[in-house]
């Protein structure tokens, strides 16, 4: 469904049609009490996929059990209801399904289905405009939006749900390499096409790396897979077991070093009681944003320099089956980890020569057929390759968030100008709020932000 050429105004404009933008549209439709006009701008032909949920391949699983993935905070079992109604995993009973890490493709289908239902039942009107917004001028009572095709729209309220972009490879000239030599980990089909006998390299060792390794394995890759990153830490697995019962609230009053000591103590206590350390992290989960915002700026910088990668592998975990596959590949020698920094990529005939160094010095050059960029989400505002974000910064309609991460926003999610004033009619959700909230990328945060944004936009 696309907007007609004669329609150029909306009560609410949602920029981005991935999971975050779809959640805003879903909540706006569900909460509408009048015939308001909602426009959702997304250049992709399919909504609700974005980066995370665009994969069609069954090996790519959610990193959270199905029971925790409802799109609607007030209906915690809604995703489970959908999976059962759609018979997505035939024969799996609800109690088993609740703890299952289901293929991610089901989540996009779930959001699309719930959006269609909300649209049919709502007095509001939703128009999906298959184009990108490249400029936004939030001046006066109406915001002006300019699209890539040159069209102009006006909206009373705007929600920025721009989603994620991949960091560039940290090597000079990497973007100028021949097509097919460097593939983004989020190009799920492109990664599979690399499967064969050649050795490959993956830059980055996080969740996107795990996706790429699974895709290559499923496609029958026979060559070695070299994984390079500064810490070479693999994502850690979820675990089943009892819940941790300590009170996490006292952590909020502690500085960073004291927090880390307390967490290690809680993990030791849990182990002594037969409780997995993962339960300690789960106990902290509801306090993620408060823990970040309660840290002094100096401690936040220290966290970003020295702790963040260790936090990530403990906090952003993967299904036990996925972790077991990675371990098996590493034990066989097909998967090889290198704790190193990438220096250069050189074309040599039909191969790439990869140069890197570690704390102990240079590594022997690696010859590979191609490189997969799995460096993860670009969080630095000035590094985001998004024309809209760069325009907002250049025109002083926005400023980078704390530590240069994302865009700055106030407590209610309204965008802040270069002068620190809040735009009353522009809200930000998702990864663009990472500097302010830290925990702002996962569904538990997105669904709450989307619901609040829809209410605020009324």
């Amino acid at each position: 469904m696309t907007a007609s050429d004669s329609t150029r105004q909306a009560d609410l404009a949602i920029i981005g049609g991935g999971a975050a933008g779809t959640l805003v549209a879903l909540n706006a439709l569900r909460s509408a009490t009048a015939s308001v006009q909602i426009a959702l701008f997304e250049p992709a032909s399919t909504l609700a996929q974005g980066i995370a949920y665009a994969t069609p391949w069954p090996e790519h699983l959610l990193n959270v059990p199905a029971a925790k993935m409802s799109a609607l905070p007030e209906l915690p079992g809604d995703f489970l209801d959908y999976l059962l109604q759609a018979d997505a995993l035939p024969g799996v009973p609800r109690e088993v399904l609740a703890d299952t890490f289901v293929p991610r493709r089901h989540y996009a289908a779930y959001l699309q289905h719930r959006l269609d239902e909300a649209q049919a039942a709502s007095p509001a009107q939703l128009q999906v405009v298959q184009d990108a917004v490249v400029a936004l001028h939030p001046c006066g009572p109406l915001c002006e939006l300019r699209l890539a095709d040159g069209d102009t729209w006006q909206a009373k309220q705007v929600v920025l749900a721009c989603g994620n972009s991949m960091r560039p490879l940290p090597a000079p000239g990497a973007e100028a390499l021949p097509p097919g030599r460097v593939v983004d980990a989020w190009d799920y089909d492109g990664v599979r096409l690399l499967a064969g006998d050649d050795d490959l390299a993956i830059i980055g060792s996080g969740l996107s790396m795990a996706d790429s390794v699974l895709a290559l394995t499923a496609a029958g890759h026979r060559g070695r897979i070299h994984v390079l990153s500064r810490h070479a830490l693999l994502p850690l697995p979820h675990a089943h077991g009892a819940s941790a019962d300590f009170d996490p609230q006292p952590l909020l009053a502690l500085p960073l070093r004291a927090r880390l000591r307390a967490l290690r103590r809680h993990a030791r206590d849990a182990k002594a009681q037969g409780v997995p350390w993962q339960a300690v992290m789960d106990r902290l989960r509801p306090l993620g944003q408060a823990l970040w915002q309660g840290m002094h700026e100096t401690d936040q910088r220290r966290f970003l320099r020295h702790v963040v990668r260790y936090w990530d592998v403990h906090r952003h975990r993967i299904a036990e089956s996925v972790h077991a596959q990675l371990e098996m590949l590493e034990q066989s020698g097909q998967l090889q980890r290198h704790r190193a920094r990438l220096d250069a990529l050189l074309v040599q005939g039909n191969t790439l020569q990869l140069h890197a160094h570690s704390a102990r010095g240079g590594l022997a050059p690696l010859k590979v057929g191609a490189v997969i960029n799995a460096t993860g989400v670009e969080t630095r505002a000035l590094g985001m390759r998004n024309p809209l974000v760069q325009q907002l910064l250049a025109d002083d309609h926005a400023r980078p968030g704390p530590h240069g991460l994302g865009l700055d926003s106030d407590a209610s999610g309204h965008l802040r100008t270069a002068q620190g004033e809040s735009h009353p009619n522009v809200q930000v959700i998702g990864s663009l709020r990472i500097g302010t909230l830290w925990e702002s990328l996962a569904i538990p945060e997105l669904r709450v932000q989307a619901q609040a944004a829809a209410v605020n936009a009324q």
Side-chain angles (χ1 to χ4, degrees):
M1 177 175 55
T2 59
S4 67
D5 291 339
S6 61
T7 305
R8 292 291 179 269
Q9 288 196 348
D11 296 293
L12 170 62
I14 303 168
I15 301 176
T22 301
L23 284 168
V24 176
L26 172 61
N27 279 278
L29 290 167
R30 286 170 57 88
S31 62
T33 57
S35 182
V36 297
Q37 301 296 315
I38 304 168
L40 190 156
F41 298 88
E42 170 55 51
S45 59
T46 305
L47 295 182
Q49 292 186 340
I51 294 301
Y53 307 114
T55 172
W57 301 107
E59 64 266 20
H60 292 144
L61 307 180
L62 292 173
N63 294 319
V64 177
K68 298 180 179 180
M69 287 295 289
S70 171
L72 305 170
E74 71 277 15
L75 297 173
D78 192 57
F79 183 47
L80 282 176
D81 292 341
Y82 165 79
L83 291 172
L84 291 167
Q85 291 163 4
D87 202 20
L89 278 73
V92 180
R94 186 184 185 92
E95 61 273 16
V96 175
L97 195 58
D99 289 328
T100 300
F101 297 84
V102 304
R104 294 208 299 265
R105 60 185 180 182
H106 293 306
Y107 200 72
Y110 159 63
L111 293 180
Q112 293 161 9
H113 185 72
R114 289 293 185 254
L115 184 67
D116 290 342
E117 289 180 334
Q119 190 171 359
S122 178
Q125 303 298 312
L126 173 66
Q127 295 178 312
V128 179
V129 183
Q130 196 175 337
D131 201 357
V133 177
V134 296
L136 169 63
H137 298 283
C139 303
L142 294 177
C143 296
E144 183 178 281
L145 293 75
R146 182 164 57 82
L147 277 55
D149 67 1
D151 283 352
T152 300
W153 281 67
Q154 290 184 328
K156 295 178 183 178
Q157 293 286 330
V158 175
V159 176
L160 297 178
C162 301
N164 304 320
S165 59
M166 181 74 74
R167 294 189 186 106
L169 279 177
E175 293 186 357
L177 289 171
R181 295 294 190 182
V182 177
V183 176
D184 280 349
W186 296 338
D187 179 0
Y188 299 109
D189 292 340
V191 169
R192 274 178 156 255
L193 291 174
L194 297 178
D197 295 316
D198 289 342
D199 290 352
L200 301 172
I202 301 176
I203 310 304
S205 60
L207 300 178
S208 296
M209 176 279 301
D211 276 351
S212 297
V213 171
L214 292 182
L216 291 169
T217 303
H221 184 65
R222 296 171 294 279
R224 288 176 296 182
I225 303 171
H226 297 281
V227 173
L228 283 83
S229 75
R230 188 159 60 98
H231 295 94
L233 296 173
L234 297 181
L236 294 171
H238 286 276
H240 296 284
S243 299
D245 60 0
F246 71 95
D247 180 7
Q249 289 290 333
L251 292 171
L252 296 173
L254 301 177
L256 178 62
R257 286 193 176 94
R259 286 182 184 181
L260 295 176
R261 286 196 294 269
L263 278 179
R264 293 187 185 103
R265 183 177 68 252
H266 289 310
R268 288 194 299 270
D269 292 345
K271 183 179 179 180
Q273 298 167 22
V275 176
W277 63 261
Q278 289 90 333
V280 174
M281 298 299 295
D282 292 340
R283 184 71 170 165
L284 293 181
R285 182 70 176 88
L287 295 181
Q289 293 180 358
L291 286 166
W292 172 254
Q293 293 178 320
M295 271 196 290
H296 188 275
E297 182 181 349
T298 302
D299 267 350
Q300 288 181 347
R301 287 198 299 268
R302 186 174 292 118
F303 174 87
L304 293 170
R305 283 198 308 270
H306 303 297
V307 180
V308 63
R309 184 60 188 136
Y310 299 94
W311 173 266
D312 282 347
V313 299
H314 288 82
R315 160 69 185 86
H316 301 287
R317 303 191 297 276
I318 55 180
E320 293 164 277
S321 61
V322 173
H323 188 264
Q325 284 182 266
L326 295 178
E327 283 194 321
M328 182 177 66
L329 289 168
E330 192 165 28
Q331 290 168 4
S332 73
Q334 187 177 11
L335 178 66
Q336 299 185 10
R337 274 189 283 169
H338 307 272
R339 186 174 181 177
R341 292 176 182 265
L342 179 64
D343 293 323
L345 291 169
L346 305 176
V347 178
Q348 289 196 338
N350 293 325
T351 64
L352 290 178
Q353 189 174 85
L354 187 153
H355 294 265
H357 73 276
S358 68
R360 298 178 180 177
L363 299 180
L366 297 173
K367 289 188 176 182
V368 296
V371 171
I372 298 170
N373 178 9
T375 51
V377 175
E378 176 60 84
T379 55
R380 299 170 299 114
L382 297 179
M384 292 178 180
R385 293 175 286 180
N386 183 317
L388 175 59
V389 170
Q390 297 310 315
Q391 175 267 321
L392 288 169
L393 292 169
D395 291 346
D396 289 343
H397 297 315
R399 66 183 184 184
H403 313 289
L405 303 176
L407 298 181
D408 198 13
S409 59
D410 63 20
S412 61
H414 286 89
L415 183 69
R416 280 187 168 138
T417 69
Q419 294 74 36
E421 300 173 354
S422 296
H423 287 292
N425 49 1
V426 181
Q427 298 178 78
V428 183
I429 75 166
S431 60
L432 290 177
R433 297 192 71 190
I434 188 170
T436 305
L437 301 177
W438 187 251
E439 292 283 358
S440 193
L441 278 72
I443 291 297
E445 284 72 41
L446 288 180
R447 63 191 175 202
V448 172
Q449 292 178 21
Q451 189 176 69
V455 171
N456 291 339
Q458 291 181 358

